[in-house]
Amino acid sequence: MNKPGNGHIYDRLGVRPFINAADSYTTIGGSRMPQEVLEAMLQAAEHFVELDVLHDRIGAEIARLTNNEAAMVTSGAAAGITLSVAACVTGYEPGKKRSFPHLKGMKNEVIIHRCQRNGFDMAAAQLGVQIMEIGGLDGTSEFELEEAIGPNTACIIYFDTTQYVKGALPLEKAAHIARNRGVPFIVDAAAQLPPVDNLWRYTELGADLVIFSGGKTLRGPQSSGFIVGKKELVRACRLHAGPASDAVGRPMKVGREEMAGLLAAIERYLKLDHAAIRNRHEQAVEVFRRELEALGYKSERVFPGPTGQDYAFAMFNMRGANLTADDVLQFMKEGDPAILVGLAREKENHFCLNPLHVSDEEIPIIVERFKRLGPIVYESQA
Ligand SMILES: *Cc1c(COP(=O)(O)O)cnc(C)c1O
């Protein structure tokens, strides 16, 4: 439902809902939870349980479902980064739990490729660790990683994305060096679904811990995520997570509802017909391109997704056109219902329509809005 009626909470609060033709952006709520997920959350909410026991059981279930040694639920992928790094700093040593953020004399260095640095570095840095950059934007040599590793290295964090392939060592190579040097290798795979087999592929490639968001394409609770990987390290991650009150991860606690909802989302995701979903996305991309080209837009199909995911989206080039990509964004946002189209980060004056979170009923609403905006003309030299 896109238009909440009178009395709906968003209506009462004067908060406008969006049709999301952009992406699984946290700033607009990530994704929509399917019925199975909401149902699991309702069931979990009904009764009190021992949270530690639930944590254990759900972690074991997620590990089994994803072919991993161990797993644990977190309050999101960012929390997964914090807990994973904390685990690598202390190992499973309860006596070191309260060390953060004063880590002098401890393993307090985290290695990251310069080209992979992003806002989520804060999730590691807030622990008091030093971020050690390696490489440049155009490339990284193996010796740069070798030389960065020292006695204080806690771990290496690797962000798997097609955006920076030029600048970073290939994942397998970096993981191999890490293993030889006995340093844990963490993959931030927050948004790396689909393909579904990424749930076990990274650990197969040699990662020790892999972090996923629960609230992106997986469509679990927005405030959920999970870590999969080596048993000893996941055990150390748990050391720093709630419900214990003296854990550095206590402010990132996970409720029983989110735990249950995330498990339901993973179970559902594994059963989905991913080929059919991919097909549906391709068809939506085709409809968007055909309808907008009829209005004069220049379009292209882009594949893979923004960070290398297994889905296509439609990109529209507004260079030399009578409207800018920003004009389009503004018009779509101001209409009723509001529609959020994506701006292309790396391509100036382009916008995209991403079918990932667009329902079948929403497609014609989006197309109609473009028709209302009217035809597009380009300067002949554009
Ligand atoms: C979305 C994202 C995160 C944060 O995920 P949350 O589940 O919202 O905490 C971390 N890293 C990357 C690369 C992401 O795309």
Side-chain angles (χ1 to χ4, degrees):
M1 282 278 103
N2 301 306
K3 285 198 66 175
N6 283 342
H8 188 285
I9 184 153
Y10 290 147
D11 196 53
R12 280 196 282 129
L13 296 170
V15 174
R16 279 164 47 112
F18 288 108
I19 287 177
N20 177 6
D23 210 329
S24 317
Y25 294 135
T26 299
T27 49
I28 55 168
S31 57
R32 278 191 279 215
M33 289 186 277
Q35 206 56 44
E36 300 94 304
V37 173
L38 294 166
E39 198 58 51
M41 293 180 82
L42 276 175
Q43 280 186 17
E46 251 177 275
H47 305 282
F48 293 97
V49 291
E50 199 83 60
L51 214 62
D52 266 325
V53 173
L54 187 65
H55 231 318
D56 284 343
R57 299 282 155 80
I58 288 194
E61 246 337 79
I62 294 174
R64 189 184 64 79
L65 287 165
T66 62
N67 293 323
N68 281 287
E69 257 183 56
M72 74 171 282
V73 184
T74 66
S75 62
I81 295 170
T82 305
L83 294 172
S84 297
V85 172
C88 295
V89 168
T90 64
Y92 190 81
E93 286 193 50
K96 292 186 177 169
K97 241 176 109 167
R98 294 194 184 208
S99 310
F100 302 98
H102 305 294
L103 304 177
K104 232 171 149 185
M106 298 177 69
K107 288 185 186 292
N108 62 355
E109 295 174 3
V110 173
I111 299 173
I112 303 184
H113 282 82
R114 177 166 289 126
C115 66
Q116 293 180 353
R117 292 208 61 173
N118 63 71
F120 294 107
D121 297 348
M122 264 311 282
Q126 69 190 29
L127 290 168
V129 295
Q130 296 285 326
I131 305 288
M132 315 292 282
E133 288 185 357
I134 56 163
L137 296 182
D138 291 323
T140 302
S141 306
E142 289 178 41
F143 79 86
E144 290 178 279
L145 175 54
E146 291 279 7
E147 284 183 358
I149 297 174
N152 292 335
T153 304
C155 58
I156 298 162
I157 301 180
Y158 193 100
F159 171 27
D160 184 44
T161 168
T162 47
Q163 282 163 9
Y164 314 123
V165 275
K166 246 188 357 176
L169 290 169
L171 190 146
E172 296 93 315
K173 191 151 279 174
H176 183 74
I177 292 171
R179 184 162 354 106
N180 281 346
R181 301 289 298 273
V183 173
F185 188 79
I186 301 172
V187 175
D188 174 2
Q192 305 311 121
L193 293 174
V196 60
D197 47 318
N198 274 353
L199 290 170
W200 46 89
R201 191 177 69 93
Y202 293 115
T203 27
E204 285 173 4
L205 289 176
D208 297 294
L209 293 172
V210 187
I211 299 156
F212 292 96
S213 273
K216 293 182 178 173
T217 40
L218 204 52
R219 298 178 64 187
Q222 170 60 194
S223 54
S224 76
F226 57 107
I227 303 170
V228 299
K230 294 269 156 61
K231 209 168 214 146
E232 265 312 292
L233 277 172
V234 172
R235 191 161 163 252
C237 291
R238 274 293 300 282
L239 185 66
H240 297 297
S245 59
D246 64 345
V248 73
R250 179 59 172 77
M252 304 160 208
K253 75 174 178 187
V254 188
R256 62 197 192 284
E257 298 84 0
E258 281 79 13
M259 289 190 204
L262 177 69
L263 177 61
I266 295 172
E267 284 172 336
R268 174 183 177 277
Y269 194 72
L270 286 164
K271 278 190 246 153
L272 289 175
D273 181 347
H274 291 278
I277 291 172
R278 197 173 166 195
N279 214 21
R280 191 194 152 269
H281 289 158
E282 290 289 356
Q283 281 172 6
V285 166
E286 256 175 53
V287 170
F288 286 140
R289 290 190 59 204
R290 190 175 60 232
E291 296 282 355
L292 268 67
E293 280 183 6
L295 293 166
Y297 289 84
K298 289 181 184 171
S299 85
E300 67 180 302
R301 167 189 175 270
V302 179
F303 181 90
T307 63
Q309 304 98 324
D310 188 19
Y311 61 78
F313 59 101
M315 176 95 87
F316 300 89
N317 181 358
M318 303 306 285
R319 288 184 189 151
N322 57 332
L323 292 176
T324 65
D326 274 316
D327 293 335
V328 173
L329 182 97
Q330 214 46 45
F331 182 82
M332 294 295 144
K333 230 169 144 173
E334 280 163 7
D336 183 29
I339 297 168
L340 190 72
V341 305
L343 287 179
R345 260 178 243 150
E346 66 293 358
K347 280 196 168 178
E348 201 200 325
N349 208 1
H350 284 61
F351 71 88
C352 44
L353 293 176
N354 185 338
L356 208 52
H357 298 295
V358 176
S359 70
D360 289 341
E361 304 81 61
E362 289 168 340
I363 292 174
I365 299 175
I366 295 169
V367 169
E368 271 315 303
R369 186 70 51 78
F370 276 96
K371 286 183 179 163
R372 209 180 314 156
L373 180 57
I376 290 296
V377 284
Y378 292 82
E379 292 164 22
S380 49
Q381 285 311 317

